[in-house]
């Protein structure tokens, strides 16, 4: 593999983009040079789509792609799938749900395993998103696993954050006060044809209304039938012209995660698991003493 890799924003060569992503994801030779030389010539919005598992995020993204393609836009999708903590494998099921767009010359889809990151963002997600952002796409969609309140991580990455919920989410709505409110640019109630969808929407709006300042809109969709998707597409195309005061904080978090990743490069997780297994044979095993040997 060549030591020099260049992402041309005007080329749209999917093979080159895929190769660049692979080099960055696996920290292969040329990765650092590629990232340092990225040029962002197009202000493509990064759209983060998050929410609890089973909310229908992939189906919603699939319907959203159909509408965004209508004006000839070029779209990149980074679909982040959960990784098993036991065998480090990933289902990568989003590829199945977005199969209808695989052969589109204007859609690039890449699945990424979280590799143990419980927040739904792999340590490499930031870098891979920047590779896509520098590749000349009109929209970059990031679909995250969405596990609990750690969904908030996506706010450090996205220009527009969409939080997808379902009517039967139950206690999930209670978590909004704890963090989701601060990161959501819009809420989407998917599967809105189900019972109690209107009640859920009203309760959500009441919670949102308790906060000061501009309130994020609440959309209702039936993604499996493309219902309500036009409103989401229009929102993405014309987002509220507000300045996020959180920009400096989020960039700090982004820098922190990249620094953390570089410091952790020497830690092999599979070797760590092996070493833990061996250390456990000692009946005096102490986790904190063990960790000190790695620091």
């Amino acid at each position: 593999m060549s030591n020099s890799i260049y992402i041309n924003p005007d080329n749209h060569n999917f093979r080159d983009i895929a190769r660049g992503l692979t080099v960055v994801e696996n920290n292969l030779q040329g990765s650092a040079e590629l990232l340092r030389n990225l040029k962002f010539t197009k202000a493509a919005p990064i759209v983060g789509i998050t929410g609890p598992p089973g909310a229908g995020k992939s189906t919603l993204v699939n319907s959203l792609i159909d509408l965004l393609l209508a004006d000839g836009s070029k779209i990149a999708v980074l679909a982040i799938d959960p990784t098993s903590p036991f065998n480090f494998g990933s289902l990568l099921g989003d590829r199945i749900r977005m199969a209808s767009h695989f052969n589109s010359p204007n859609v690039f889809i890449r699945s990424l395993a979280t590799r143990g990151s419980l927040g739904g963002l792999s340590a490499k997600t930031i870098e891979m998103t920047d590779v896509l952002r520098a590749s000349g796409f009109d929209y970059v969609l990031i679909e995250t696993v969405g596990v609990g309140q750690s969904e908030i991580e996506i706010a450090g990455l996205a220009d527009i954050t969409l939080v997808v919920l379902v009517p039967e989410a139950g206690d999930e709505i209670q978590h909004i006060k704890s963090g989701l409110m601060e990161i959501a640019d819009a809420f989407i109630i998917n599967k809105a044809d189900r019972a109690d969808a209107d009640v859920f929407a009203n309760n959500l709006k009441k919670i949102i209304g308790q906060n000061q300042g501009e309130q994020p809109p609440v959309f209702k969709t039936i993604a499996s039938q493309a219902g309500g998707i036009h409103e989401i597409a229009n929102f993405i195309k014309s987002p509220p012209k507000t300045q996020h005061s959180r920009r400096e904080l989020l960039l700090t978090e982004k820098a922190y995660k990249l620094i953390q990743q570089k410091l952790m490069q020497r830690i092999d997780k599979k070797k760590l698991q092996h070493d833990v297994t061996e250390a456990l044979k000692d009946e005096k095993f102490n986790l904190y003493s063990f960790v000190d040997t790695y620091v």
Side-chain angles (χ1 to χ4, degrees):
M1 185 171 289
S2 172
N3 293 342
S4 181
I5 305 165
Y6 174 66
I7 298 296
N8 185 347
D10 300 317
N11 190 9
H12 287 288
N13 186 315
F14 284 4
R15 181 174 295 179
D16 288 346
I17 296 170
R19 180 167 169 252
L21 289 172
T22 297
V23 167
V24 168
E25 181 181 7
N26 297 288
N27 201 33
L28 301 178
Q29 188 173 12
S31 172
E33 180 185 1
L34 184 154
L35 292 168
R36 283 194 295 266
N37 291 326
L38 291 178
K39 292 180 173 57
F40 306 104
T41 60
K42 183 179 290 188
I46 308 298
V47 182
I49 298 147
T50 188
K57 297 184 293 293
S58 297
T59 304
L60 189 143
V61 169
N62 195 54
S63 296
L64 189 57
I65 291 172
D66 287 330
L67 289 182
L68 295 177
L69 284 174
D71 60 4
S73 293
K74 296 184 182 297
I75 303 163
V77 180
L78 190 60
I80 304 173
D81 284 273
T83 305
S84 166
F86 302 107
N87 61 15
F88 301 95
S90 175
L91 178 61
L92 302 179
D94 295 299
R95 289 183 176 176
I96 299 172
R97 289 184 283 274
M98 299 178 197
S100 61
H101 295 294
F102 278 174
N103 295 321
S104 171
N106 291 330
V107 180
F108 179 89
I109 300 173
R110 177 71 171 240
S111 290
L112 172 67
T114 58
R115 298 187 178 184
S117 174
L118 296 181
L121 294 185
S122 161
K124 285 295 182 180
T125 306
I126 294 172
E127 295 173 349
M128 294 175 72
T129 299
D130 277 339
V131 170
L132 292 174
R133 192 160 63 94
S135 298
F137 291 102
D138 297 292
Y139 300 95
V140 178
L141 308 181
I142 312 293
E143 182 200 330
T144 74
V145 175
V147 182
Q149 294 184 39
S150 52
E151 292 162 341
I152 293 168
E153 286 187 29
I154 191 62
L157 188 67
D159 301 306
I160 303 169
T161 301
L162 307 177
V163 175
V164 185
L165 301 170
V166 285
E168 61 272 25
D171 291 340
E172 188 70 31
I173 197 170
Q174 300 301 324
H175 294 309
I176 293 173
K177 291 182 180 179
S178 303
L180 287 180
M181 182 63 66
E182 285 74 18
I183 65 111
D185 292 299
F187 288 97
I188 300 172
I189 299 176
N190 192 31
K191 306 180 182 179
D193 54 340
R194 294 189 176 181
D196 298 327
D198 290 337
V199 173
F200 185 84
N202 289 334
N203 289 339
L204 179 57
K205 289 176 182 177
K206 287 177 183 177
I207 292 178
I208 294 173
Q210 295 174 6
N211 282 12
Q212 300 295 322
E214 187 172 348
Q215 310 301 322
V218 176
F219 299 104
K220 290 194 292 184
T221 63
I222 307 173
S224 60
Q225 303 173 23
I229 304 299
H230 275 93
E231 288 79 4
I232 309 300
N234 291 336
F235 179 80
I236 291 173
K237 292 177 180 179
S238 303
K241 299 297 187 284
T242 57
Q243 292 294 323
H244 290 298
S245 59
R246 64 180 189 238
R247 177 170 173 77
E248 291 81 2
L249 173 63
L250 296 180
L251 281 175
T252 300
E253 287 298 313
K254 197 172 178 179
Y256 182 87
K257 199 169 187 71
L258 290 171
I259 293 169
Q260 182 184 53
Q261 169 192 296
K262 289 186 179 298
L263 292 175
M264 289 293 292
Q265 279 180 353
R266 71 181 186 88
I267 305 296
D268 183 320
K269 199 166 184 178
K270 289 185 178 180
K271 182 179 184 302
L272 175 61
Q273 182 176 355
H274 175 269
D275 292 344
V276 168
T277 301
E278 291 298 311
L280 279 171
K281 295 177 181 178
D282 185 348
E283 61 182 18
K284 296 180 180 179
F285 172 78
N286 179 283
L287 177 62
Y288 300 96
S289 297
F290 173 84
V291 168
D292 285 342
T293 66
Y294 271 80
V295 175

